Amino acid sequence: MSVSQDCAVLQTAFPVLFPASVSDCCSIPSIIKCTNGRVTTLSLGARNLTGQLPESLGSLSELTNLNLASNSFTGTIPESFSNLKKLETFVIYSNMIEGGFPEVVTRLSGLKYFQITDNRLNGTIPQSIGNMVSLNFLDFGSNAFTDPLPESMANLVNLQSLLFQNNKFKGPLPEWIGRLSSLKEINANLNKFTGPIPASIGNCTQLKQLELSNNEITGPLPESLGKLTELTSIFLTGNNIDGPLPTSFGNLAKLRAVFMKGNQLSGPIAESYFASMTALRQLDMSLNRLEGSIPESIGNLASVRQLDFTGNLLTGPLPASLSKLSAATTISFADNQIGGTIPASLGSLGKNIKSIFLAGNSLNGTIPESLGNLTSLNSLTLAKNQLIGTIPDSLGNMRELQELSLFDNKLSGSIPASLGNLVNLQLLSLVSNSLTGEIPESFSNLKNIKSLFANKNKLTGKVPLWIGSLSNLTSINLANNNLTGSIPSSLGSLANLRSLYLADNQLEGSIPSTLGNMKLLGTLDLADNRLSGPIPAELGQLPALRTFYFGNNQGLTGVFPDGFPLLGVCLGGQTSVCIQAGRDTCELSVCPATTTTTTTTTTIPATTTTIAAQTTTTIAAQTTTTIPAQLSSAAQTTTTTTVAALPADNTKTASTIVPAPPAGTTSVAAATAAPSGNASPSPAATTVRATSPASASPTAAGNNHADAYGQTIPTPSQMPYAADVHGKDSNHGYASGGDAPADGDSPILSGAAAWMPVLHLAAMAAGAGALLHMW
């Protein structure tokens, strides 16, 4: 075939790329190469080509290199391709080729490089693949092939790269893999291989990269692994490999990357493991069961960038040799059982270190002043230890710091004003310490801060006015302190705020109406203060508000703002009533138990019906709910509740949810009032079922707040450091302002109800002229 004939084939197959006006296709050097007047290379990758592969391409008999990758070709590879006897490279990844492994390709005995990754192939690999004896690169990953891998693949003795990741292979890794002695790279990630790594892997002595992550591999690592002295990277993350590291592991002196996260590796870390690994850059052994002390030889990892032993069972002190890791950017020993003090020598790590994670251990003593020398640090997490003393002033030198987490320690003294120098800070968590004094005025400089958490301390003074100038704040938690004064109206300027916790302080005065400007606010907790005056109507206009707590404010009174879509009202005992407005479900809130019952008659406006009972709530002109006397037993507190009728257009959807009564009491059913003038309501056709008091404890979920210390503290292994926002077991029935809890985790009903807002107004004092009075 002449060059003009080759060109004619391409003009027919791809007319857009090879228009009829082009007489010599070899004149398009970017996609074609010719030798002796024949097409030898055709590179059509990422050309937006569609449809089935043209049969006519099989007539390009001099073709040696064919690249059709990253298009949208469909169907199968044509039989005519078996004529491409000189083809050495065939790349067709990232298309939509279907069917089984293309047997036509197995007849191309001269093929050296074949890549058909990321298509829609399935079925098993044919035995005929063993005929491709010239192959040195084979990649059929990211398809849907199933086991078994045929033993004929052991014939591919020239193979250097074998990639079959992200398929559906299962069962044990084949022993015959050890016969591929030329292999330099194996990638079997993201399959379902089981059983141990075959000992025959030690015969692949030229292997440089071994990737077996995210399978179901079990058993210990073979001792023969130590024979792979050319190995530069090993990826075994996300398996069930157990036992200790083999004693030969220290032979792998050329390793640059080790990822064994999320296995069951156990036993001590021998000094010999790291004695000669001076080339190692990444070491991730997190989420295993390694135990014993950290060897001093870890300081020999002079090139290491990422060092992660998070979530093991390590004990003993942190070795001073860690200070030798001058190339390190991340060091994490979080969530172990490490004791002793933080070595002052860590302050000499140098300018490369960006993140130190030591949370969740048993570290004691003080925070070294020398840590302030780490001026390039972005994250410092020392939470959940037993650190004592004051927060060093020197931490204010770390001007690049974005996250500082010191929660759950035994720190005391005042918050140093120098922390106001951390102008890049985004997260500050000081929760659950014994810090005293006022919030430093220098914090007004923290213009980038998003999360400020200092709850469960002994802070005094006022909520500062300048806090409203920190416009990037999304979460504030200052609950459980001794803050006084009023809630500053400047908080209303925080347009990005999503949660505000000021509960359990000594705040006075009224709730500022400016809080109604925070359109993204989802959780508002002002419970257990000394607030007074009406609830601002503006809060009813907050579109994102899901959960709000106003309980135990002795002077707080007022009319329900019209904008509140759903109000949970505590009536004593184990009773909750949800007042519905335009919705057909509501959120259940369990009230604190009371100890007396006083017979009360609630008088409804003239347009509704009056019903005498232990406690009566009228929801709308056409709907009345009566709570029988049996539900309110043994009390010492008087409760009187009057609620205005809903608008007429909401009457048909009003509903009531109450918990199942205690043993020996009468069930409560929703009731529909008879027409005006009839004093006795008849039972409704259906009863709304609710959670029983026993299973609906407000603390059943362990006060599982998404905002815990503001957020889960990130580590290289994404280990959570969550805790109660409110910092105490209380009967507010706190629920997460974030994800909906699972069924059975909290008193909140599943389904749509789990996302409804609820207002808690327990123990609010009576106010003259108010439509809602609660004592």
Side-chain angles (χ1 to χ4, degrees):
M1 183 181 287
S2 67
V3 65
S4 60
Q5 289 174 312
D6 278 4
C7 191
V9 168
L10 296 176
Q11 288 172 337
T12 302
F14 308 112
V16 174
L17 298 177
F18 303 97
S21 58
V22 177
S23 59
D24 182 6
C25 296
C26 295
S27 64
I28 312 177
S30 61
I31 60 177
I32 198 169
K33 289 183 181 179
C34 298
T35 301
N36 298 325
R38 298 299 303 277
V39 176
T40 57
T41 296
L42 184 60
S43 183
L44 302 180
R47 297 285 176 172
N48 296 316
L49 301 174
T50 60
Q52 296 192 349
L53 291 170
E55 283 272 358
S56 58
L57 290 183
S59 62
L60 301 176
S61 57
E62 296 296 316
L63 200 62
T64 59
N65 300 290
L66 177 59
N67 182 358
L68 302 175
S70 301
N71 286 292
S72 298
F73 288 118
T74 58
T76 60
I77 295 176
E79 281 292 320
S80 64
F81 276 38
S82 62
N83 298 325
L84 304 177
K85 300 300 185 181
K86 296 185 178 181
L87 197 62
E88 296 181 355
T89 300
F90 184 15
V91 178
I92 192 169
Y93 64 81
S94 297
N95 279 279
M96 295 183 284
I97 303 299
E98 301 169 336
F101 190 94
E103 293 218 36
V104 61
V105 177
T106 68
R107 297 197 288 271
L108 302 176
S109 59
L111 197 62
K112 296 180 180 179
Y113 191 108
F114 181 46
Q115 189 172 19
I116 197 167
T117 321
D118 191 20
N119 278 281
R120 298 179 178 179
L121 302 173
N122 53 41
T124 59
I125 306 298
Q127 287 286 342
S128 59
I129 197 173
N131 298 331
M132 305 174 73
V133 292
S134 297
L135 275 178
N136 56 49
F137 184 97
L138 176 60
D139 184 357
F140 49 90
S142 296
N143 284 286
F145 292 119
T146 56
D147 58 301
L149 289 169
E151 189 170 355
S152 64
M153 291 182 68
N155 298 335
L156 308 181
V157 293
N158 293 306
L159 203 60
Q160 297 182 19
S161 295
L162 176 58
L163 315 177
F164 47 99
Q165 72 284 353
N166 195 21
N167 277 283
K168 297 182 179 181
F169 295 113
K170 56 186 179 181
L173 287 162
E175 281 283 345
W176 54 254
I177 206 164
R179 287 148 62 183
L180 302 178
S181 57
S182 297
L183 273 179
K184 295 183 178 180
E185 177 184 14
I186 299 174
N187 187 342
N189 293 336
L190 294 165
N191 282 285
K192 294 186 178 180
F193 286 113
T194 56
I197 298 173
S200 63
I201 196 76
N203 297 330
C204 301
T205 54
Q206 297 186 48
L207 200 64
K208 293 181 178 292
Q209 187 162 315
L210 176 61
E211 298 190 38
L212 302 175
S213 292
N214 297 111
N215 281 281
E216 298 172 9
I217 297 170
T218 57
L221 294 172
E223 192 68 32
S224 61
L225 194 68
K227 296 180 180 179
L228 306 181
T229 54
E230 297 298 314
L231 204 62
T232 60
S233 58
I234 181 168
F235 298 84
L236 301 175
T237 294
N239 284 286
N240 293 306
I241 300 168
D242 57 21
L245 292 170
T247 55
S248 61
F249 187 71
N251 298 341
L252 308 180
K254 293 184 180 181
L255 277 174
R256 296 169 63 89
V258 176
F259 290 89
M260 297 189 183
K261 173 182 176 180
N263 282 282
Q264 305 292 326
L265 294 169
S266 59
I269 305 171
E271 287 280 352
S272 61
Y273 290 162
F274 307 124
S276 58
M277 291 188 184
T278 55
L280 194 64
R281 290 173 177 260
Q282 295 174 295
L283 177 60
D284 188 351
M285 304 296 293
S286 60
L287 303 181
N288 280 285
R289 297 180 179 179
L290 298 172
E291 57 193 30
S293 59
I294 304 165
E296 283 287 339
S297 63
I298 204 165
N300 295 338
L301 305 179
S303 301
V304 78
R305 304 287 192 271
Q306 177 186 342
L307 180 66
D308 191 355
F309 282 86
T310 300
N312 280 280
L313 303 173
L314 299 175
T315 56
L318 291 169
S321 62
L322 286 173
S323 62
K324 297 179 182 179
L325 306 181
S326 58
T329 60
T330 299
I331 295 176
S332 179
F333 287 94
D335 287 309
N336 280 279
Q337 300 170 17
I338 298 168
T341 60
I342 300 174
S345 59
L346 285 186
S348 61
L349 276 169
K351 63 180 181 180
N352 290 314
I353 190 70
K354 301 297 182 184
S355 302
I356 296 177
F357 300 98
L358 300 176
N361 283 288
S362 298
L363 295 170
N364 53 52
T366 60
I367 300 173
E369 287 275 352
S370 61
L371 293 185
N373 298 332
L374 305 178
T375 55
S376 298
L377 204 64
N378 297 146
S379 298
L380 177 61
T381 301
L382 304 177
K384 299 181 72 176
N385 280 289
Q386 300 174 28
L387 299 173
I388 61 173
T390 59
I391 300 172
D393 283 326
S394 63
L395 298 191
N397 298 332
M398 299 187 291
R399 303 298 179 92
E400 300 299 317
L401 203 64
Q402 297 177 23
E403 298 180 9
L404 176 59
S405 183
L406 304 176
F407 68 80
D408 257 4
N409 278 289
K410 299 177 181 180
L411 299 172
S412 58
S414 60
I415 302 172
S418 63
L419 296 188
N421 298 331
L422 307 179
V423 293
N424 291 300
L425 200 64
Q426 297 182 29
L427 167 66
L428 176 61
S429 182
L430 306 174
V431 180
S432 286
N433 282 287
S434 297
L435 300 173
T436 57
E438 300 184 2
I439 300 171
E441 187 174 357
S442 62
F443 277 25
S444 61
N445 298 325
L446 305 180
K447 301 301 183 183
N448 290 302
I449 196 164
K450 295 180 179 180
S451 301
L452 174 60
F453 306 111
N455 47 304
K456 292 191 71 176
N457 279 286
K458 300 176 182 180
L459 299 177
T460 55
K462 298 181 178 182
V463 179
L465 291 173
W466 47 256
I467 203 167
S469 67
L470 305 180
S471 58
N472 286 306
L473 274 169
T474 60
S475 300
I476 299 174
N477 194 335
L478 300 176
N480 295 90
N481 280 291
N482 296 311
L483 299 175
T484 56
S486 60
I487 299 173
S489 59
S490 61
L491 285 173
S493 301
L494 300 176
N496 294 308
L497 202 67
R498 288 166 170 76
S499 61
L500 175 61
Y501 296 89
L502 298 176
D504 291 289
N505 280 288
Q506 301 174 33
L507 300 175
E508 300 175 330
S510 60
I511 300 173
S513 60
T514 55
L515 298 191
N517 298 332
M518 298 187 290
K519 302 304 182 185
L520 298 180
L521 193 67
T523 300
L524 175 61
D525 188 355
L526 305 178
D528 293 295
N529 279 289
R530 300 174 182 177
L531 300 173
S532 58
I535 303 167
E538 289 81 359
L539 296 185
Q541 308 303 316
L542 292 175
L545 194 61
R546 291 173 179 167
T547 310
F548 35 105
Y549 309 103
F550 298 151
N552 297 329
N553 283 284
Q554 297 299 315
L556 194 61
T557 62
V559 178
F560 284 140
D562 291 339
F564 283 132
L566 183 67
L567 306 174
V569 183
C570 292
L571 298 178
Q574 288 290 334
T575 305
S576 290
V577 176
C578 290
I579 301 175
Q580 185 88 10
R583 299 181 188 269
D584 58 5
T585 56
C586 79
E587 183 180 51
L588 180 63
S589 168
V590 180
C591 303
T594 55
T595 51
T596 329
T597 297
T598 302
T599 301
T600 304
T601 299
T602 300
T603 303
I604 311 302
T607 57
T608 58
T609 304
T610 301
I611 300 173
Q614 295 285 354
T615 307
T616 302
T617 301
T618 298
I619 295 179
Q622 295 296 321
T623 304
T624 301
T625 298
T626 301
I627 300 172
Q630 294 95 321
L631 283 181
S632 302
S633 60
Q636 296 179 353
T637 304
T638 302
T639 300
T640 305
T641 305
T642 307
V643 183
L646 294 173
D649 59 352
N650 288 324
T651 301
K652 62 184 179 181
T653 61
S655 63
T656 299
I657 295 180
V658 296
T665 61
T666 303
S667 298
V668 179
T672 303
S676 180
N678 295 330
S680 301
S682 59
T686 59
T687 299
V688 181
R689 184 172 60 84
T691 310
S692 66
S695 63
S697 166
T699 58
N703 289 342
N704 183 20
H705 294 271
D707 269 334
Y709 290 103
Q711 67 179 39
T712 57
I713 306 302
T715 74
S717 303
Q718 297 300 306
M719 294 296 293
Y721 296 102
D724 178 19
V725 166
H726 218 274
K728 72 170 189 177
D729 292 330
S730 65
N731 261 342
H732 293 302
Y734 292 132
S736 170
D739 296 333
D743 291 348
D745 286 347
S746 78
I748 300 175
L749 295 179
S750 61
W755 295 102
M756 298 288 183
V758 60
L759 170 64
H760 296 251
L761 292 148
M764 290 171 56
L771 289 175
L772 171 68
H773 306 283
M774 302 206 66
W775 185 256

